[in-house]
Amino acid sequence: MKKIKVGIIGATGYAGVELVRLLALHPQAQIVALSSVSYEGKRISDVYPNLKDICDDVLENEDIIDRCDVIFTSLPHGLSEKFAGKCLDKGVKMIDLGADFRLDSAEEYAKWYNKQYEDEKLHTQSVYCIPELHRAAYKNQPIIGNPGCYPTSIALGLAPAIKYAVDNTVVIDSKSGVTGAGRGLADNTHYPNCNEAFSPYKVASHRHTPEIEQTLSKLAGKKVNVTFVPHLLPVNRGIVSTIYFNVKEAMTAKQLHEIYSEFYKREKFVRVLASGEVANLRNVKYSNYCDISVHYDEHTQRVVIVSTIDNMVKGAAGQAIQNMNIMFGLEEKCGLEYIPPAF
Amino acid sequence: MKKIKVGIIGATGYAGVELVRLLALHPQAQIVALSSVSYEGKRISDVYPNLKDICDDVLENEDIIDRCDVIFTSLPHGLSEKFAGKCLDKGVKMIDLGADFRLDSAEEYAKWYNKQYEDEKLHTQSVYCIPELHRAAYKNQPIIGNPGCYPTSIALGLAPAIKYAVDNTVVIDSKSGVTGAGRGLADNTHYPNCNEAFSPYKVASHRHTPEIEQTLSKLAGKKVNVTFVPHLLPVNRGIVSTIYFNVKEAMTAKQLHEIYSEFYKREKFVRVLASGEVANLRNVKYSNYCDISVHYDEHTQRVVIVSTIDNMVKGAAGQAIQNMNIMFGLEEKCGLEYIPPAF
Amino acid sequence: MKKIKVGIIGATGYAGVELVRLLALHPQAQIVALSSVSYEGKRISDVYPNLKDICDDVLENEDIIDRCDVIFTSLPHGLSEKFAGKCLDKGVKMIDLGADFRLDSAEEYAKWYNKQYEDEKLHTQSVYCIPELHRAAYKNQPIIGNPGCYPTSIALGLAPAIKYAVDNTVVIDSKSGVTGAGRGLADNTHYPNCNEAFSPYKVASHRHTPEIEQTLSKLAGKKVNVTFVPHLLPVNRGIVSTIYFNVKEAMTAKQLHEIYSEFYKREKFVRVLASGEVANLRNVKYSNYCDISVHYDEHTQRVVIVSTIDNMVKGAAGQAIQNMNIMFGLEEKCGLEYIPPAF
Amino acid sequence: MKKIKVGIIGATGYAGVELVRLLALHPQAQIVALSSVSYEGKRISDVYPNLKDICDDVLENEDIIDRCDVIFTSLPHGLSEKFAGKCLDKGVKMIDLGADFRLDSAEEYAKWYNKQYEDEKLHTQSVYCIPELHRAAYKNQPIIGNPGCYPTSIALGLAPAIKYAVDNTVVIDSKSGVTGAGRGLADNTHYPNCNEAFSPYKVASHRHTPEIEQTLSKLAGKKVNVTFVPHLLPVNRGIVSTIYFNVKEAMTAKQLHEIYSEFYKREKFVRVLASGEVANLRNVKYSNYCDISVHYDEHTQRVVIVSTIDNMVKGAAGQAIQNMNIMFGLEEKCGLEYIPPAF
């Protein structure tokens, strides 16, 4: 079989270079072009010396679409639409790792991102896809909006049970490794400032909130409001979302566990832990797995779900490749069977 | 003025050695005896070389009470009562950093600690004291039950507002540095297991839960139930408690902030951050401060409080010394004015 | 082709579980049995939950040799000989990740390990093998002594240049991540003791010293003495060896660089960095690569070599698999082409 | 006694804010003015929220000299001379934490810093001072050049023994916490780049080399050349220098230890560890101590010294205050008796 020809626009961002790491060994894909505005003309292994002798491709400008079957865009919000337009024109598929194809509502996008969609038609040809939840919604749309890292951990953690939740009781306390903040230098990611430190940020005002509520509302069949507070965790990788909600009727921990086990029983990349175990980001890092543990606090009739992923794999590049596999009719797990290391 | 003669039983545990660090420079106190079952006969600076040439006292067995004005006990639960009895007999004051004098209810103690109080009378002569909340309750009781680390961060974070909380909506997501687990070796505190890792533990079942609910219930004037989930944070020191609750009537962020500022306006060790700032454990570590930031999520009418302390100082040894200062009529801040370093 | 049937004795140690991670995806090998004294009867995924649903094999006792083509032993020193004897009897190959088949001299072994070889004949049928340096010495010996982690980084770093070194000027300052200390709990690997800490250990007395000197002496054709000082580095994985030695005649940095580039030009897993770059463990972790940078201090006529590997891969399990590939006539890189992640 | 009026120019750099932390509690000094080009008009506690309610002084421009008895300058090299001139004119003392008053030789300064001294006369009125080694050289010079962090750890580590060293055998392998790189954002101090990473930098070319050689040459009474390789260590604070040199005549470990113990027997801030112990930065952090352990490798006749300090205290702000105490006739330890915490 001929390999899928892949191009990456924004290859030197953190999600971009993680795509390179995973795609370079993908048995059915082949990187044919890498684009970077900041580093045009340099080899990617000059920017990321871990890639020396493995991928020494020269970074190009943005005119790479012609040579590709699929383009991954990994760009700050607001920059993907123009590439989407070009891809559509040329019959090239596109998977956007940014925020521009995640929200159904142009109003919500404008409100949270301070920017208007420039070409609303484009958005009618895209689909938002967490494979475990939305693969059935993929009907050969040429554009996939790859989900955000926090929303992935949260949607997978809540999908089986959101319908049991009492309205407006969902509280989500998420913690993300520092790669989530990206490659750009900033005071709060300067080593002495975030090592031996910990705090929330963007309390109840993070841009992933509408994406989370959109997914949960669809799953629940009604508007779901949540309080979402992300925290910056002094580790390189990984997200842990601790999710709280009250249930309408008391249940047993066993019932709750069965709901989750049943829901995910055919999923390779979602592991529902045995009762009594607690999900730890340690067990998923560098892999495409999502580990979920379920807990029930009887004295408050409140469910506690712990959902953990690697923010750069299942939360970004890995899930994007899983979506590429769907787009091209491959097995979803193809090229993604990395085993999380023990340490 | 004659200095207070201090003894520490359990001096080689983490809270014990932190007491040594702080008391060695306390202007009104003097360490006269250190006791340790495990290291009797060794110098404390053999066990903790940071103390070399600073405190080279030889560790003794437990017969040190006679020589002291006050004894700090820092022991696993169940071991403090016998020392309390001896202290009372000899007219020596005692501050217990363990769990044995925190709960009013013998039933709750038995339920959560799998152990009975052996001498209930002792508990009528003790008082539980977070100074900012309970100093008025100190009426020369000979025994002070020093609060737990999590409960301190949580009670200070909730005290100003608990009366506005809708029943059974309080969710507490706490994260603690690894010193909170103490000096004993364990798999989950082995470096490669907790570095680059993160997870909750004892989900909705941690022994600090009844202590938290006891304090909050008194503050609220009615039974308060909470869901409390602690997490192990890969840093040495510090606790961040992110606290969520719904309020009965909508308020503005400004109102909320004023409630907190007013409540703590005379407190040296509690700093209510300006609106828009977020509490970070970085700013309190190695100090006796508690930083609190207040946030309001309008779309869910939910308050979010972030409360952070150094678990070993305000959460253990520092607060114990603050309590000693109260016991002996000193200024509460005496010997505790350490400035948190910037990094 | 029929897959190689592999067994691991000592599967729950850190090197053991890293073997599992790498062998589970090896295209030409298949794990048929895992043995563990401590956890017999449990699944390995109970001990290492990262392996859940990936490798849930039940840990057996030590009678697994019969079913295997090759046994990896990963055991404390002194325990491998008995398995070597059994393997030889049954015609099963063995690769020992411990220290028992590394030293040629029984006297040196006895001196450094306080233990005698029990069966010296066994040692005549084994070969010590860093593939890049010793693959020519592999003549179908049934036992391979897999090199230690420090010695691997050092031998690869010195091999091209040891013949230019002035006698007795080699100083080796190595730094190892904490997994190098293994899975066993110890005070110095308790998180609060080694986080935000750093120090040498076993100064000029580490057991890897005779192994280092043995390899270097063979390369140099005369006895080489070194001063070797290892340090414990607060990271999970990786070794950086900074190696110093004077050269007999002044050379240029360019000459030095050419010597190294030439020496390793055909090696996949050794990357000699371009002049001016500095090797960083970040660029090799989770991979089988060894990165080497060469530096020359003109004013002291001293060479500085920086050599870095992942202690668990090239320093243990990865190199053992590379040796297995040699034993079975596979390409050395088979199953080892992991790309080091950027973060 | 009237307190010393202190001003800090460059108060928002890392050394500056560490000066604030230490001086705010100094019993004989009082901060009267803080200057910062970048943050003029802001409160220092806006920039460093750890100082909230403790030091809320407003940052001024640079015209603060008039009001002060002593000025600390903590600036990039090349910027201190102009303040030195002003201080001399106004009879104000100055302690420079930068590099401009460390080197005796204008040629060396020009060579290593690519800059000429603008006013050589100023340098005749300054003295370089590591108190334990140079306090006798302080003859009321109005300017003190405060030593660099690496040179402090190295000079203290080598002073007792440099005269026994064989020429050109001194190798210094130093490792510094990330605060040593300062407050400015840079790729190599971005958290995901230096966490779980380790490497040398500026191999045999760091600007501290001439300062190290200057001090050692004076101590030895002849030119001493060293190879100095610094490394970036993933911790916030602390330097460990591992120092190697051959000795002219064989000695015993006991003799070596006595040389060091005798040399430092009257020094409060230098602790020579007992034989067999190894210096660890953990035991000095947040304090003004320097811990030294001495080791002897008999088979190579080589000495190994391990010297550790907190780079921000003994390596910068603490030593500067120790120098201020000398300047003003106070006890050297005044305001510096912080006890290093155990964790």
Side-chain angles (χ1 to χ4, degrees), chain B residues 168-340:
Chain B
N168 196 21
T169 63
V170 179
V171 167
I172 303 161
D173 189 292
S174 291
K175 303 87 177 172
S176 172
V178 184
T179 52
R183 179 166 197 255
L185 305 183
D187 273 336
N188 71 330
T189 53
H190 188 50
Y191 185 89
N193 294 349
C194 69
N195 180 46
E196 298 295 294
F198 186 73
S199 76
Y201 65 100
K202 294 184 187 157
V203 177
S205 60
H206 191 282
R207 283 171 168 167
H208 282 176
T209 307
E211 182 185 342
I212 294 163
E213 294 186 343
Q214 170 181 290
T215 302
L216 297 181
S217 296
K218 285 183 186 174
L219 286 162
K222 61 178 175 184
K223 179 72 182 119
V224 172
N225 289 323
V226 304
T227 293
F228 168 57
V229 178
H231 300 66
L232 188 64
L233 186 64
V235 302
N236 277 2
R237 286 170 173 254
I239 283 177
V240 173
S241 291
T242 313
I243 306 169
Y244 304 84
F245 58 91
N246 282 91
V247 282
K248 296 163 192 164
E249 295 179 36
M251 54 171 69
T252 63
K254 192 163 174 295
Q255 287 172 318
L256 182 69
H257 192 267
E258 278 167 10
I259 289 165
Y260 274 76
S261 296
E262 180 65 21
F263 192 93
Y264 287 122
K265 68 183 172 192
R266 288 190 194 83
E267 294 298 338
K268 176 176 179 64
F269 290 125
V270 180
R271 301 189 292 196
V272 178
L273 303 192
S275 295
E277 296 187 6
V278 183
N280 189 324
L281 74 78
R282 173 191 172 199
N283 295 320
V284 300
K285 65 185 176 183
Y286 296 101
S287 85
N288 202 49
Y289 287 91
C290 173
D291 275 7
I292 294 173
S293 66
V294 297
H295 311 269
Y296 186 62
D297 182 7
E298 284 180 27
H299 93 301
T300 58
Q301 211 164 305
R302 184 172 284 126
V303 172
V304 182
I305 302 296
V306 186
S307 171
T308 184
I309 59 171
D310 183 311
N311 61 310
M312 300 308 299
V313 187
K314 185 64 180 168
Q319 185 153 267
I321 292 169
Q322 197 175 352
N323 277 325
M324 179 193 79
N325 292 343
I326 291 174
M327 265 186 164
F328 287 87
L330 303 173
E331 272 197 295
E332 281 186 26
K333 70 183 181 182
C334 187
L336 293 171
E337 297 188 80
Y338 288 90
I339 300 174

Side-chain angles (χ1 to χ4, degrees), chain A residues 168-175 187 192-204 209 213 223 225-229 231 233-237 240 242 244 246 278-282 285-286 295-297 299-302 304 306 308 342-343, chain B residues 168-175 187 192-204 209 213 224-229 231 233-237 240 242 244 246 278-282 285-286 295-297 299-302 304 306 308 342-343:
Chain A
N168 196 21
T169 63
V170 179
V171 167
I172 303 161
D173 190 291
S174 291
K175 303 86 178 171
D187 273 335
N193 294 350
C194 70
N195 180 45
E196 298 295 293
F198 185 73
S199 76
Y201 65 100
K202 294 184 187 158
V203 176
T209 307
E213 294 186 343
K223 178 71 183 122
N225 288 324
V226 303
T227 293
F228 167 56
V229 179
H231 300 66
L233 186 63
V235 303
N236 277 3
R237 286 169 174 256
V240 173
T242 314
Y244 304 84
N246 282 91
V278 183
N280 188 325
L281 73 78
R282 172 189 174 199
K285 63 186 178 183
Y286 295 99
H295 312 269
Y296 186 61
D297 182 6
H299 93 302
T300 57
Q301 212 163 304
R302 184 173 284 127
V304 183
V306 186
T308 184
F343 36 78
Chain B
N168 196 21
T169 63
V170 179
V171 167
I172 303 161
D173 189 292
S174 291
K175 303 87 177 172
D187 273 336
N193 294 349
C194 69
N195 180 46
E196 298 295 294
F198 186 73
S199 76
Y201 65 100
K202 294 184 187 157
V203 177
T209 307
E213 294 186 343
V224 172
N225 289 323
V226 304
T227 293
F228 168 57
V229 178
H231 300 66
L233 186 64
V235 302
N236 277 2
R237 286 170 173 254
V240 173
T242 313
Y244 304 84
N246 282 91
V278 183
N280 189 324
L281 74 78
R282 173 191 172 199
K285 65 185 176 183
Y286 296 101
H295 311 269
Y296 186 62
D297 182 7
H299 93 301
T300 58
Q301 211 164 305
R302 184 172 284 126
V304 182
V306 186
T308 184
F343 36 76

